[in-house]
Amino acid sequence: MQRIYSTIALTLFLLGGILEHAAAQSETDAYRLTQRELNGSARYTSMAGAFTALGGDLSALEKNPASIGVFHKSQFAFTGQVNTQNSKSSWYNMDTEDRSSKVQMGQIGFVGSFFNARTGNGLSMAINYSQSYRVERQIDGRNSMPQIYSLADYVAAITPSDISTADLRPDPLKNYNPYYEMPWFSILGYNSGWIAPTKGARGPFETQFYYPNSNSNRYTPFGPAESNLVYKENAKISETDFALSYNHQDMLYLGLSLKVTHVEYDLSTLYRENFIEGDYLTLNNDLRTTGRGFGGSFGLIYRPTDHLRLGMAYHTPSILHLVDQFYAEGSSRYSFALDDKGKPFPEEMWTMKEHTPQDAIAGYQLLSPSRISLGIAYTFGKRGLLSVDYELTPLGGMKIKDKKGNSLDYRNDNYNIGRHYALQQSVSVGGELYILPQMAIRAGYLYKSPAMKKKATTTSLDTQGGKSFNKMDETILTAGTLPHFMIQGATHTAACGLGYHFSKTSSLDATFLFNTRNDKLYAFSTIYDKDGKLQAHSTEPIEVKQNNFRFYLTYTLNF
């Protein structure tokens, strides 16, 4: 097996240029940047967010803008929270654990209520800030099980078969920069020494990691003997709601709101495969996504009797305007490289390195999924209440577009979003009981179904080389040089809390919440050629058990 060695440094002419990569986003990015979790005030979270039909809490704006119409007085509320996250990872029975704890501001808001007790009508206006998704975790997966396929096989399979090595190498004399023309992962893989062409200087491409076979005189491809994936994720997605609600005789409440979303997302990954004889492959990725977007909602709450409340709300998709900043490095060591005459390369040429432009950015639009919330609640006078919510989120409605709003460049990703992502359902149940006139106890439970359809995550047994492995049947599209992706399981949340009224104007609420979810992290996707023949599949996924423990404390002032 011959190794073509490139010594041209990309940095000779990539100084200070800002590159716009046209397709740096994928179906997995869409969900990663639009997901939601239970968050808000202590009272709201203690009842698992079952407030579509209740209202009367600033955080209920997240479910129904008509909720502020229930207020008869103006209110200010502030929530602080302690967030402890614990991630337990298992990869072929090798276990690791990561824990982090942070003190954060969870919610702050104000509602101005103008209620006329004589007519029974009122108007309320509110502004409320809260975090819709917050995660900070590190997953360190280690695998000592030999594999059939390498990341090099994956990159070779996605590299167009009709390009040459000259297409992947920069040429300063001709002012040629492959990062403006060719797929980035192919450029990185070739110049990092992972892949090589099968026909001289032209594709198709294949893994570079060929080794002598004791049973023949030919070199044969070897998969990695062990792997390591470190996945560091830090996400903060927050929302600010501006809402208006009308109260008609304390029987019908109508509301609408404008939602402003702010996104800050950082992802850093390190992936390494070790082969025999000290050979290896490494990939480092750094991604930062920032931006903001706008959406809206409208809803109603109806009281057919003094005790029964019915609620409904529709949340429009938000149009997010986002910017990615990304950078990747690749390297390899291959000790069995041969030159064009079949002679081994000297040891100083066994190692190769490459990196993408350091100032690469991409701007694009992302359409979040819409949501429909339905609720029913029953109040027992001043003794307590019981509330149930049901929410539908058609995740298949997510869309990726370019900066101008065109989706043509993302038609494959948007098609796969519709094929792979589910109609996500969530059910929340919450209750409140006053054990003293000034003290209430609360509890709630929330279930949220998995994000992906079952058929998108189906696995089957594959046997090659006398080894058997489970592989995903579907190809999950990833973007740029970041092949890793997460598949989230069902979410279970349980909460309990206390509320104490110091007076008619002030109160303090506290909540303890536990959230758990089982995720699967894949190093890279299964991929087939145009004839449907398997080209590569990832190792068994890293099993990630995510447990979150949160404590909320909310101070409320009525006036």
Short mmCIF file of all heavy atoms in Angstrom, two decimals, residues 373-402:
data_model
loop_
_atom_site.label_atom_id
_atom_site.label_comp_id
_atom_site.label_asym_id
_atom_site.label_seq_id
_atom_site.Cartn_x
_atom_site.Cartn_y
_atom_site.Cartn_z
N SER A 373 -49.65 22.99 23.41
CA SER A 373 -49.82 22.63 24.81
C SER A 373 -51.29 22.58 25.16
O SER A 373 -52.05 23.51 24.83
CB SER A 373 -49.11 23.64 25.73
OG SER A 373 -47.73 23.69 25.47
N LEU A 374 -51.70 21.51 25.82
CA LEU A 374 -53.07 21.35 26.29
C LEU A 374 -53.03 21.06 27.79
O LEU A 374 -52.14 20.35 28.27
CB LEU A 374 -53.76 20.19 25.58
CG LEU A 374 -53.81 20.25 24.05
CD1 LEU A 374 -54.36 18.95 23.49
CD2 LEU A 374 -54.67 21.43 23.59
N GLY A 375 -53.98 21.63 28.54
CA GLY A 375 -53.97 21.42 29.97
C GLY A 375 -55.36 21.40 30.58
O GLY A 375 -56.29 22.01 30.06
N ILE A 376 -55.46 20.69 31.68
CA ILE A 376 -56.69 20.66 32.47
C ILE A 376 -56.29 20.69 33.94
O ILE A 376 -55.34 20.03 34.36
CB ILE A 376 -57.54 19.42 32.16
CG1 ILE A 376 -58.84 19.45 32.97
CG2 ILE A 376 -56.77 18.13 32.38
CD1 ILE A 376 -59.84 18.37 32.54
N ALA A 377 -57.00 21.50 34.73
CA ALA A 377 -56.67 21.65 36.15
C ALA A 377 -57.96 21.72 36.96
O ALA A 377 -58.99 22.21 36.48
CB ALA A 377 -55.82 22.89 36.38
N TYR A 378 -57.86 21.25 38.19
CA TYR A 378 -59.00 21.30 39.12
C TYR A 378 -58.50 21.84 40.45
O TYR A 378 -57.52 21.35 41.01
CB TYR A 378 -59.62 19.92 39.32
CG TYR A 378 -60.96 19.97 40.01
CD1 TYR A 378 -62.12 20.15 39.27
CD2 TYR A 378 -61.05 19.85 41.39
CE1 TYR A 378 -63.36 20.21 39.91
CE2 TYR A 378 -62.28 19.91 42.03
CZ TYR A 378 -63.43 20.09 41.28
OH TYR A 378 -64.66 20.15 41.91
N THR A 379 -59.18 22.89 40.93
CA THR A 379 -58.80 23.51 42.20
C THR A 379 -59.80 23.11 43.29
O THR A 379 -61.01 23.02 43.04
CB THR A 379 -58.77 25.04 42.08
OG1 THR A 379 -60.07 25.52 41.72
CG2 THR A 379 -57.76 25.48 41.02
N PHE A 380 -59.28 22.89 44.48
CA PHE A 380 -60.10 22.50 45.62
C PHE A 380 -60.20 23.70 46.58
O PHE A 380 -59.70 23.67 47.70
CB PHE A 380 -59.49 21.30 46.34
CG PHE A 380 -59.32 20.09 45.45
CD1 PHE A 380 -58.12 19.89 44.77
CD2 PHE A 380 -60.35 19.18 45.28
CE1 PHE A 380 -57.97 18.79 43.94
CE2 PHE A 380 -60.20 18.08 44.46
CZ PHE A 380 -59.01 17.88 43.78
N GLY A 381 -60.83 24.75 46.08
CA GLY A 381 -60.92 25.96 46.89
C GLY A 381 -59.54 26.48 47.24
O GLY A 381 -58.66 26.59 46.38
N LYS A 382 -59.36 26.78 48.53
CA LYS A 382 -58.05 27.25 48.98
C LYS A 382 -57.20 26.12 49.55
O LYS A 382 -56.15 26.37 50.15
CB LYS A 382 -58.24 28.35 50.04
CG LYS A 382 -58.90 29.61 49.51
CD LYS A 382 -59.00 30.68 50.58
CE LYS A 382 -59.64 31.95 50.03
NZ LYS A 382 -59.73 33.01 51.08
N ARG A 383 -57.63 24.87 49.37
CA ARG A 383 -56.90 23.74 49.93
C ARG A 383 -55.81 23.21 49.01
O ARG A 383 -54.81 22.66 49.47
CB ARG A 383 -57.87 22.60 50.27
CG ARG A 383 -58.83 22.93 51.40
CD ARG A 383 -58.10 23.24 52.69
NE ARG A 383 -57.17 22.17 53.06
CZ ARG A 383 -57.52 21.09 53.74
NH1 ARG A 383 -58.76 20.94 54.14
NH2 ARG A 383 -56.62 20.18 54.04
N GLY A 384 -56.01 23.36 47.70
CA GLY A 384 -55.01 22.83 46.80
C GLY A 384 -55.52 22.71 45.38
O GLY A 384 -56.59 23.23 45.04
N LEU A 385 -54.75 22.00 44.55
CA LEU A 385 -55.12 21.84 43.14
C LEU A 385 -54.39 20.65 42.55
O LEU A 385 -53.40 20.15 43.09
CB LEU A 385 -54.80 23.11 42.35
CG LEU A 385 -53.34 23.59 42.34
CD1 LEU A 385 -52.53 22.95 41.21
CD2 LEU A 385 -53.29 25.11 42.21
N LEU A 386 -54.89 20.21 41.39
CA LEU A 386 -54.27 19.14 40.61
C LEU A 386 -54.31 19.55 39.14
O LEU A 386 -55.36 20.01 38.65
CB LEU A 386 -55.00 17.82 40.82
CG LEU A 386 -54.42 16.59 40.11
CD1 LEU A 386 -53.05 16.25 40.68
CD2 LEU A 386 -55.37 15.40 40.26
N SER A 387 -53.19 19.38 38.44
CA SER A 387 -53.11 19.85 37.05
C SER A 387 -52.37 18.83 36.19
O SER A 387 -51.41 18.19 36.64
CB SER A 387 -52.37 21.20 37.00
OG SER A 387 -52.32 21.70 35.68
N VAL A 388 -52.84 18.70 34.94
CA VAL A 388 -52.22 17.78 33.98
C VAL A 388 -52.02 18.51 32.66
O VAL A 388 -52.93 19.20 32.17
CB VAL A 388 -53.10 16.53 33.73
CG1 VAL A 388 -52.44 15.59 32.73
CG2 VAL A 388 -53.36 15.79 35.04
N ASP A 389 -50.84 18.36 32.08
CA ASP A 389 -50.52 18.95 30.78
C ASP A 389 -50.11 17.88 29.79
O ASP A 389 -49.50 16.86 30.17
CB ASP A 389 -49.34 19.93 30.90
CG ASP A 389 -49.78 21.32 31.30
OD1 ASP A 389 -50.94 21.47 31.75
OD2 ASP A 389 -48.97 22.25 31.19
N TYR A 390 -50.41 18.13 28.53
CA TYR A 390 -49.97 17.28 27.43
C TYR A 390 -49.44 18.19 26.33
O TYR A 390 -50.10 19.17 25.94
CB TYR A 390 -51.13 16.43 26.90
CG TYR A 390 -50.77 15.56 25.72
CD1 TYR A 390 -49.90 14.48 25.86
CD2 TYR A 390 -51.29 15.83 24.46
CE1 TYR A 390 -49.58 13.67 24.78
CE2 TYR A 390 -50.98 15.02 23.37
CZ TYR A 390 -50.12 13.95 23.54
OH TYR A 390 -49.79 13.17 22.45
N GLU A 391 -48.24 17.89 25.86
CA GLU A 391 -47.60 18.75 24.87
C GLU A 391 -47.09 17.94 23.70
O GLU A 391 -46.51 16.85 23.87
CB GLU A 391 -46.45 19.52 25.50
CG GLU A 391 -45.82 20.56 24.58
CD GLU A 391 -44.84 21.47 25.32
OE1 GLU A 391 -45.29 22.46 25.94
OE2 GLU A 391 -43.64 21.16 25.28
N LEU A 392 -47.29 18.46 22.50
CA LEU A 392 -46.82 17.84 21.26
C LEU A 392 -45.81 18.77 20.58
O LEU A 392 -46.08 19.97 20.42
CB LEU A 392 -47.99 17.58 20.31
CG LEU A 392 -48.92 16.42 20.63
CD1 LEU A 392 -50.12 16.43 19.67
CD2 LEU A 392 -48.18 15.10 20.52
N THR A 393 -44.66 18.20 20.19
CA THR A 393 -43.63 18.96 19.49
C THR A 393 -43.21 18.19 18.24
O THR A 393 -42.51 17.18 18.34
CB THR A 393 -42.40 19.18 20.38
OG1 THR A 393 -42.81 19.79 21.62
CG2 THR A 393 -41.39 20.08 19.70
N PRO A 394 -43.65 18.61 17.06
CA PRO A 394 -43.26 17.91 15.83
C PRO A 394 -41.83 18.25 15.43
O PRO A 394 -41.58 19.19 14.66
CB PRO A 394 -44.28 18.42 14.80
CG PRO A 394 -44.70 19.75 15.31
CD PRO A 394 -44.62 19.69 16.81
N LEU A 395 -40.87 17.48 15.95
CA LEU A 395 -39.47 17.78 15.71
C LEU A 395 -39.09 17.66 14.24
O LEU A 395 -38.12 18.27 13.79
CB LEU A 395 -38.60 16.83 16.54
CG LEU A 395 -38.73 16.96 18.06
CD1 LEU A 395 -37.88 15.90 18.76
CD2 LEU A 395 -38.31 18.35 18.53
N GLY A 396 -39.87 16.90 13.49
CA GLY A 396 -39.60 16.79 12.06
C GLY A 396 -39.81 18.08 11.30
O GLY A 396 -39.44 18.19 10.13
N GLY A 397 -40.39 19.07 11.96
CA GLY A 397 -40.61 20.37 11.33
C GLY A 397 -39.43 21.32 11.40
O GLY A 397 -39.49 22.44 10.88
N MET A 398 -38.35 20.91 12.06
CA MET A 398 -37.16 21.74 12.11
C MET A 398 -36.60 21.92 10.70
O MET A 398 -36.64 21.01 9.88
CB MET A 398 -36.09 21.11 13.01
CG MET A 398 -36.50 20.96 14.45
SD MET A 398 -35.18 20.25 15.50
CE MET A 398 -35.08 18.57 14.83
N LYS A 399 -36.06 23.08 10.41
CA LYS A 399 -35.51 23.37 9.09
C LYS A 399 -34.22 24.16 9.21
O LYS A 399 -34.10 25.06 10.06
CB LYS A 399 -36.50 24.17 8.25
CG LYS A 399 -37.73 23.41 7.79
CD LYS A 399 -37.40 22.40 6.71
CE LYS A 399 -38.65 21.72 6.19
NZ LYS A 399 -39.34 20.88 7.20
N ILE A 400 -33.25 23.83 8.37
CA ILE A 400 -32.00 24.59 8.27
C ILE A 400 -32.01 25.36 6.97
O ILE A 400 -32.36 24.81 5.91
CB ILE A 400 -30.78 23.66 8.32
CG1 ILE A 400 -30.86 22.73 9.53
CG2 ILE A 400 -29.49 24.47 8.38
CD1 ILE A 400 -29.77 21.67 9.55
N LYS A 401 -31.61 26.62 7.02
CA LYS A 401 -31.56 27.47 5.83
C LYS A 401 -30.26 28.27 5.84
O LYS A 401 -29.60 28.40 6.88
CB LYS A 401 -32.76 28.43 5.79
CG LYS A 401 -34.12 27.73 5.80
CD LYS A 401 -35.25 28.74 5.78
CE LYS A 401 -36.60 28.04 5.78
NZ LYS A 401 -37.73 29.01 5.72
N ASP A 402 -29.90 28.82 4.69
CA ASP A 402 -28.72 29.68 4.66
C ASP A 402 -29.09 31.07 5.20
O ASP A 402 -30.23 31.31 5.62
CB ASP A 402 -28.12 29.75 3.26
CG ASP A 402 -29.05 30.38 2.23
OD1 ASP A 402 -29.99 31.11 2.63
OD2 ASP A 402 -28.85 30.16 1.02
#
